[in-house]
Amino acid sequence: MKILDSIKSPEQLRMIDPNLLPQLCEEIRQTIINTVSKTGGHLGSSLGAVELITALHYVFNTPKDKIVFDTGHQAYAHKILTGRLAKFNTIRKKGGLSGFLKIYESPYDTFGAGHASTALSAALGMAMARDQKKQNHKVVAVVSDGCMTGGLAYEALQNAGQLKPNMLVVLNDNQMFISKRVGALGSFLTKLLTAKYVTAAETEATKFMSNFEIGNNALKLAYRARSILFSGALFAELGFRYYGPVNGNDIAEMTDVLSKIKDIPGPVILHVVTKKGKGYPPAEQKPTKYHGLGIFDAETGETIGKSDKITYTKAFSDALLKLAKEDRNITAITAAMPEGTGLNAFRDEHPDRYYDVGIAEEHAATFAAGLATQGIKPIVAIYSSFSQRCYDQIQQDICLQNLPVVFALDRAGIVGEDGPTHHGVFDLSLFRNIPNLIIAAPSDENELQHLLKTAFDCKKPFILRYPRGSGEGVALDEEMKVLPIGKGVWLKKGKDLTILAIGNRVYPSLEAADLLKKHGLNAGVINMRFAKPLDVKIIKDALKISPNLISVEDNVLAGGFGSAIAETLADNNLQANLLRLGIKDEFVEHGKQAELYEDIGLSAQEIAKAALKKFK
């Protein structure tokens, strides 16, 4: 019988002989590999954090003691050890376990998060609430080195240094973001781990600690880079006691150090070094590829079932390279997501015009604004769900000054298995209210490249949003062209009603029109292309044929594309029977994209059903 099969909770984990922990960690690691190969998910970070998470639950009295994880990319071992082993094979599946942490999934998930840099603020809040209520449990924040580039992390660090609660911050340093880490902090952490600094630190710490009685050798080595040495100076200045770096993949060392350090008063940082992809050679060799992936062969690591169609991300990447070849002022910016946004190709071809700012979307936006004031043509490529972080910068620094910055919002609409933290279903509502801003959504990969050229040509703030995954399989025009701003196109006309569709709901709307024809309803379809400015003329033309309109969008209904149409009808005194289809006032859970579009009423079949119910 496997050791893991007998662990139903951390309470049971804490009862086993510590000599069995290495075997348990290997069983956890193999469970993660076998499961993720069938479900897809975040593999590399979770493999690297197995020993760290096991040690945390072994040493701390969870769930009374609170462990707060940043993002949850690293926390699959946490799910397995906290009573969810039997359901782990459902991870990221519809109705199954979330790929991230959720407070309503388990009492051990103390704080839900899918975006980075939140753990320190949340943990600090928990620590201060504990003190305010005169309680005595421990609070631990587990933060990856990539998350430490987010501004929110430093706001929390400086506040914690001021408040000085008893809390432990575990800096899980796997020397990566999702991609290779960048920036001054990345260089700082790398310097900590070079042979020269580590060797010098060990020598100095050994001399210094020989004068004190503070515990065993592991703790002495953990203390080697405190404020007396260069390594911990940054954190010491912020008011933290700094220990590390220690080997996060050595379960014995981790449990030993955590046991000694957990009762040290005040805010403490423990710098832990882990290997992303630990124990799985393909992931160790290519940690970026195996950060998050779909179904793969566990033996070979090869992806299974990959579509032959070009993805929207690839279409964007290829089009950007073509345009950048013709115009040396085009410059690309990403927030630690070069592979995810397709900017890795631009990075490799134009390194002098490429900037990775780390997990700092706010900075990315205002940095782009600064570039634009000097005649550079910046494009900021980020995920739709991350764009909400820089709303203020887009409004104040870019649109108020009418600066020509292009935002490429990848993963707009339903993203699938990553769930509610990553669905890009709010951007139309977020940004449609900002003056000077143009918002467009292509219906396919060919239209994407034309709209990208249009975005650079118009010399105004521009958002281009497009979905995750494969395109429609259409042929790509050799030459990109500029499309008229704010103009939609008729795809077919119908005497009974007109479907006004945008983005990746255009093709399902065409299919819905074919289904409606079988039921005696003749439906037209317009590809609106632009959510702002809206094509008022084409809406008026549609109303001349029929007063029945349906708006279809992969955004929340409140304040979105359908709302824009309703406003246009009201403002122009136009009489219409409008049915708005989109995402209701709710968070959409995780599952396959097709499953979720069906559930929320935005598949071709559901669009047709809604039309029949309203207009038949």
Side-chain angles (χ1 to χ4, degrees):
M1 180 179 178
K2 292 182 178 179
I3 301 171
L4 182 57
D5 292 336
S6 66
I7 305 298
K8 308 301 181 185
S9 68
E11 289 85 351
Q12 291 178 320
L13 167 67
R14 291 188 282 270
M15 294 171 63
I16 72 172
D17 189 311
N19 293 322
L20 296 176
L21 291 178
Q23 181 182 338
L24 174 63
C25 289
E26 288 310 307
E27 292 177 10
I28 293 170
R29 184 168 280 113
Q30 197 57 51
T31 298
I32 293 172
I33 295 169
N34 291 339
T35 301
V36 175
S37 71
K38 298 179 178 67
T39 65
H42 293 99
L43 184 67
S45 296
S46 281
L47 292 180
V50 169
E51 286 83 6
L52 167 59
I53 289 172
T54 302
L56 284 168
H57 281 295
Y58 193 77
V59 171
F60 287 90
N61 184 28
T62 55
K64 180 181 178 182
D65 291 339
K66 312 300 180 187
I67 301 177
V68 185
F69 291 93
D70 233 317
T71 71
H73 290 154
Q74 56 191 325
Y76 284 8
H78 165 78
K79 287 181 178 278
I80 289 171
L81 289 170
T82 53
R84 286 169 276 184
L85 174 61
K87 291 184 177 180
F88 192 64
N89 63 347
T90 70
I91 196 164
R92 292 165 53 87
K93 294 181 179 179
K94 182 183 173 185
L97 295 179
S98 169
F100 297 96
L101 304 183
K102 290 188 174 182
I103 58 175
Y104 49 84
E105 186 178 284
S106 168
Y108 294 92
D109 292 0
T110 58
F111 196 80
H115 293 184
S117 307
T118 61
L120 285 165
S121 294
L124 179 58
M126 292 178 189
M128 297 314 297
R130 172 202 62 201
D131 295 348
Q132 188 172 322
K133 297 168 72 174
K134 310 297 183 186
Q135 297 171 340
N136 62 359
H137 56 270
K138 310 294 184 183
V139 176
V140 182
V142 182
V143 185
S144 68
D145 52 329
C147 296
M148 289 291 285
T149 61
L152 182 62
Y154 288 92
E155 293 176 21
L157 281 175
Q158 70 85 21
N159 194 206
Q162 172 196 8
L163 296 172
K164 299 192 183 319
N166 292 334
M167 64 178 286
L168 171 63
V169 177
V170 177
L171 173 57
N172 180 14
D173 180 4
N174 61 28
Q175 303 159 70
M176 299 280 289
F177 296 134
I178 291 169
S179 305
K180 186 177 180 181
R181 71 179 175 211
V182 296
L185 180 68
S187 298
F188 173 79
L189 294 176
T190 299
K191 186 176 287 187
L192 297 187
L193 300 176
T194 58
K196 180 178 71 173
Y197 278 95
V198 169
T199 301
E202 288 175 349
T203 301
E204 293 301 315
T206 300
K207 291 179 182 177
F208 184 78
M209 291 303 157
S210 64
N211 298 316
F212 298 89
E213 292 294 331
I214 71 165
N216 64 6
N217 289 333
L219 185 57
K220 288 178 182 178
L221 290 179
Y223 203 76
R224 64 185 174 225
R226 194 175 176 266
S227 57
I228 59 166
L229 302 172
F230 169 79
S231 310
L234 170 66
F235 301 111
E237 288 300 317
L238 287 170
F240 282 76
R241 295 171 179 263
Y242 173 87
Y243 297 83
V246 297
N247 185 355
N249 293 127
D250 185 325
I251 186 66
E253 183 172 349
M254 282 308 308
T255 54
D256 195 10
V257 170
L258 287 171
S259 296
K260 298 295 190 302
I261 211 171
K262 70 175 185 175
D263 293 320
I264 293 177
V268 173
I269 284 184
L270 175 63
H271 185 174
V272 172
V273 182
T274 60
K275 185 172 183 61
K276 195 166 187 177
K278 172 72 174 176
Y280 187 52
E284 289 186 10
Q285 294 161 14
K286 297 181 178 179
T288 298
K289 175 182 177 181
Y290 288 88
H291 167 76
L293 69 170
I295 298 171
F296 63 96
D297 186 317
E299 292 295 324
T300 65
E302 294 299 317
T303 302
I304 297 173
K306 191 175 181 179
S307 173
D308 293 331
K309 296 179 181 177
I310 187 173
T311 65
Y312 281 95
T313 302
K314 182 68 164 61
F316 161 76
S317 177
D318 292 347
L320 183 62
L321 284 177
K322 287 182 182 180
L323 293 169
K325 188 175 182 180
E326 300 168 0
D327 189 341
R328 281 203 52 80
N329 282 323
I330 290 177
T331 298
I333 303 164
T334 187
M337 296 292 289
E339 284 77 16
T341 60
L343 286 188
N344 53 321
F346 188 100
R347 173 198 63 200
D348 296 342
E349 194 159 322
H350 304 291
D352 58 327
R353 291 189 270 157
Y354 164 83
Y355 300 96
D356 184 343
V357 301
I359 302 177
E361 289 82 3
E362 302 94 324
H363 166 59
T366 303
F367 174 59
L371 288 170
T373 65
Q374 303 303 306
I376 298 298
K377 298 178 180 178
I379 182 164
V380 181
I382 53 180
Y383 288 4
S384 169
S385 68
F386 299 159
S387 68
Q388 56 211 38
R389 293 176 160 194
C390 51
Y391 176 86
D392 181 69
Q393 288 72 28
I394 292 174
Q395 184 204 76
Q396 293 289 309
D397 300 333
I398 294 171
C399 293
L400 180 61
Q401 303 184 93
N402 204 21
L403 294 173
V405 176
V406 179
F407 281 84
L409 302 190
D410 202 323
R411 270 66 166 179
I414 296 296
V415 299
E417 292 88 345
D418 279 345
T421 56
H422 283 62
H423 293 316
V425 297
F426 301 102
D427 54 77
L428 292 181
S429 303
L430 275 168
F431 301 118
R432 192 173 63 80
N433 58 71
I434 303 178
N436 293 331
L437 181 62
I438 296 168
I439 305 174
S443 61
D444 57 40
E445 56 271 40
N446 189 44
E447 196 166 58
L448 186 155
Q449 65 170 349
H450 296 316
L451 283 172
L452 183 60
K453 181 175 176 62
T454 303
F456 284 114
D457 181 79
C458 76
K459 298 180 176 61
K460 288 182 67 66
F462 198 109
I463 284 179
L464 177 61
R465 70 186 300 270
Y466 46 92
R468 177 184 187 179
S470 300
E472 299 296 332
V474 302
L476 298 178
D477 296 332
E478 285 295 324
E479 295 294 325
M480 284 179 270
K481 58 187 178 184
V482 174
L483 302 177
I485 299 293
K487 296 298 180 183
V489 289
W490 281 98
L491 301 181
K492 64 185 301 184
K493 293 186 177 181
K495 63 182 180 63
D496 296 322
L497 63 96
T498 302
I499 302 174
L500 310 174
I502 192 166
N504 76 338
R505 293 300 90 191
V506 169
Y507 279 82
S509 295
L510 280 169
E511 188 180 340
D514 291 339
L515 294 172
L516 288 171
K517 190 173 183 180
K518 297 176 183 178
H519 292 275
L521 272 182
N522 193 334
V525 179
I526 298 174
N527 172 13
M528 292 295 290
R529 282 184 180 161
F530 293 86
K532 184 183 182 185
L534 209 59
D535 191 340
V536 179
K537 181 181 182 302
I538 206 168
I539 295 173
K540 290 180 177 179
D541 291 343
L543 290 175
K544 292 175 183 176
I545 301 172
S546 169
N548 301 325
L549 302 178
I550 302 177
S551 67
V552 186
E553 62 188 302
D554 58 348
N555 189 84
V556 293
L557 285 168
F561 168 68
S563 291
I565 292 172
E567 292 162 11
T568 296
L569 295 174
D571 293 345
N572 290 273
N573 294 316
L574 300 173
Q575 299 300 312
N577 300 318
L578 175 63
L579 171 64
R580 295 186 304 134
L581 298 181
I583 297 167
K584 297 175 183 177
D585 188 22
E586 60 190 21
F587 288 105
V588 180
E589 292 299 327
H590 60 277
K592 294 185 182 300
Q593 284 176 293
E595 292 176 333
L596 298 180
Y597 277 124
E598 186 80 13
D599 284 352
I600 60 180
L602 293 177
S603 66
Q605 292 76 13
E606 292 301 313
I607 294 169
K609 283 182 185 178
L612 287 170
K613 183 177 180 180
K614 176 76 173 180
F615 298 117
K616 184 66 172 174

